[in-house]
Amino acid sequence: MRRLLVLATLALPLSLVATAQSASLASPECTEEGVPLHVAVDQLRSTDGNLTVTVYGSDPDDFLAAGAKLTRKRVPITGAMTEACLTVPAPGTYAIAVYHDENNDRDFNRTFVGLPDEGYGFSNDAPALVGLPSYDDAKFDVPADGRRLEIRMRY
């Protein structure tokens, strides 16, 4: 039930890569202090809007919970593959949720029946066939020298 509620509220906490036609991009530089986390999101269907990347910390109860994000970054879509660089405060365990905000309204839009109307994805390509993935499926470790992840966008 909690996960279904979270899906309904993804727009608030999230306000949420394999390639045919991927653009070849250099990883963007991380400018903030901390451990670099390079995120490449693939299979974006258009360059409309922005890519929103949200990072959650090591507490499983915080994953996808309203107000529990560690950091969030919105970047312009540059092609079928778009990259972002975020920083995390220290090496450790994290999880990521991304979404393609195609209309750039800072909201994860859904259809009238509540299904996603914009693309989304999770670290580890965590399954979300029925409801949202578990933290255990999405979590990953970041060493002291940083990490690069690939996430596949789903529509």
Side-chain angles (χ1 to χ4, degrees):
M1 180 66 169
R2 177 180 180 266
R3 296 228 184 262
L4 291 176
L5 179 60
V6 171
L7 182 58
T9 60
L10 269 177
L12 297 174
L14 289 176
S15 303
L16 252 134
V17 227
T19 167
Q21 304 180 14
S22 286
S24 177
L25 302 173
S27 292
E29 292 296 317
C30 288
T31 56
E32 297 94 27
E33 287 291 318
V35 180
L37 184 56
H38 293 271
V39 180
V41 179
D42 199 8
Q43 299 184 13
L44 291 148
R45 69 180 172 194
S46 76
T47 57
D48 296 337
N50 72 70
L51 173 67
T52 301
V53 182
T54 304
V55 180
Y56 296 90
S58 61
D59 184 345
D61 291 333
D62 288 347
F63 184 54
L64 302 175
K69 73 182 181 316
L70 188 60
T71 188
R72 173 182 300 138
K73 189 168 201 173
R74 291 180 175 90
V75 298
I77 305 292
T78 57
M81 176 184 279
T82 295
E83 296 192 30
C85 187
L86 299 91
T87 56
V88 292
T93 303
Y94 299 91
I96 291 179
V98 300
Y99 77 97
H100 181 181
D101 186 7
E102 288 183 274
N103 60 1
N104 216 18
D105 67 352
R106 295 182 167 233
D107 194 15
F108 181 65
N109 301 128
R110 294 172 302 280
T111 66
F112 70 96
V113 294
L115 298 174
D117 200 28
E118 295 179 306
Y120 63 93
F122 302 96
S123 43
N124 294 333
D125 200 25
L129 299 175
V130 179
L132 297 169
S134 71
Y135 175 79
D136 284 339
D137 286 341
K139 72 180 180 180
F140 60 93
D141 291 324
V142 177
D145 61 346
R147 174 97 190 249
R148 177 175 162 71
L149 296 172
E150 293 187 359
I151 297 175
R152 179 178 55 96
M153 187 63 65
R154 300 173 188 161
Y155 290 91

